[in-house]
Amino acid sequence: MRTSDPIVFVIDDDGSVREALVDLISSVGLSVQAFKCAQEFLDYRRPDRPACLVLDVRLPGPSGLELQRELLRSETPIPIIFVTGHGDIPMSVRAMKEGAAEFLTKPFRDQELLDAIQHALEVDRAARQERFIVAGFRRDYEALTNRERDVMKLVVSGLLNKQIAAELSSSEVTVKTHRGQVMRKMKAESVVQLVRIAERIGLISERI
């Protein structure tokens, strides 16, 4: 199985429901792995592949909503599709506010779930690609010297070379040299691009 092939995880304490969901999802050619409780899933070492989670709200032990909060704190969050026979509006609103991809109340149409799964997998692919790109930016930033990092922070804050030189008690020529090194190492072709990179690695807050 290629690392680019997606996988769908299912958590439901009802064995017959788990089996039905596995049969449905696998019928469209997707890999699927099922679990009977949240802890079983947490103990599982997830493969490094695009994925989503079909999750029942009510589970023995940690509930689906509690698992959602746990996964949000992890380094590898996963799109969640809640399915429940006991859902209500406040519960669905809470789940969606905390990032759920979809909230389906049983009974739902098979195609409704399959469409939600395809959308969630696309979301995860995009998120994984973004994490890959940002990780590259962070590696580039870590390769800067301390002084180059100082210069970068001041450049993306909007200061001119003369102002940066005064801030760092340095010469304008030296600042210009460091600035050129920053642009080269960060692979930025313009200050605007450097600002965007700084936003993505959390160096500055994203502009509204």
Side-chain angles (χ1 to χ4, degrees), residues 7-165:
I7 184 168
V8 180
F9 300 110
V10 172
I11 306 178
D12 198 301
D13 62 325
D14 187 318
S16 61
V17 173
R18 282 201 310 276
E19 185 176 345
L21 290 172
V22 168
D23 288 345
L24 172 64
I25 296 166
S26 60
S27 73
V28 294
L30 290 170
S31 296
V32 57
Q33 179 75 41
F35 306 88
K36 63 179 180 293
C37 66
Q39 191 58 53
E40 191 175 78
F41 175 74
L42 289 171
D43 291 340
Y44 174 76
R45 184 175 180 180
R46 278 189 272 158
D48 186 18
R49 294 158 58 184
C52 70
L53 174 60
V54 178
L55 177 62
D56 193 8
V57 172
R58 298 181 185 276
L59 294 168
S63 69
L65 292 172
E66 289 171 334
L67 176 60
Q68 180 189 32
R69 287 194 296 271
E70 177 73 19
L71 293 173
L72 282 173
R73 293 192 293 265
S74 73
E75 294 182 358
T76 53
I78 181 173
I80 296 174
I81 301 163
F82 279 105
V83 293
T84 180
H86 309 280
D88 55 30
I89 292 176
M91 184 184 294
S92 62
V93 169
R94 176 180 167 189
M96 298 300 283
K97 278 186 175 180
E98 295 193 14
E102 187 59 86
F103 194 101
L104 302 177
T105 302
K106 302 172 185 176
F108 49 81
R109 294 181 296 107
D110 288 353
Q111 193 58 49
E112 194 174 4
L113 175 60
L114 294 176
D115 288 345
I117 287 172
Q118 290 298 340
H119 173 69
L121 291 174
E122 287 303 316
V123 168
D124 195 51
R125 286 189 183 95
R128 287 166 59 85
Q129 178 65 13
E130 175 66 9
R131 288 196 294 269
F132 176 79
I133 292 171
V134 170
F137 289 148
R138 289 202 176 104
R139 285 193 297 271
D140 292 339
Y141 180 72
E142 290 299 320
L144 300 179
T145 65
N146 289 336
R147 181 43 59 98
E148 286 166 352
R149 291 180 198 174
D150 292 338
V151 170
M152 177 174 170
K153 290 174 184 176
L154 294 171
V155 168
V156 299
S157 72
L159 297 187
L160 302 175
N161 287 351
K162 183 186 296 186
Q163 295 168 312
I164 295 172

Side-chain angles (χ1 to χ4, degrees), residues 139-195:
R139 285 193 297 271
D140 292 339
Y141 180 72
E142 290 299 320
L144 300 179
T145 65
N146 289 336
R147 181 43 59 98
E148 286 166 352
R149 291 180 198 174
D150 292 338
V151 170
M152 177 174 170
K153 290 174 184 176
L154 294 171
V155 168
V156 299
S157 72
L159 297 187
L160 302 175
N161 287 351
K162 183 186 296 186
Q163 295 168 312
I164 295 172
E167 185 77 20
L168 299 178
S169 300
S170 182
S171 72
E172 197 170 341
V173 171
T174 300
V175 167
K176 187 176 180 179
T177 299
H178 285 314
R179 182 169 178 156
Q181 288 291 87
V182 168
M183 299 296 284
R184 181 183 64 80
K185 291 182 180 181
M186 296 304 298
K187 305 178 183 66
E189 297 180 359
S190 67
V191 173
V192 171
Q193 188 176 3
L194 188 67
V195 169

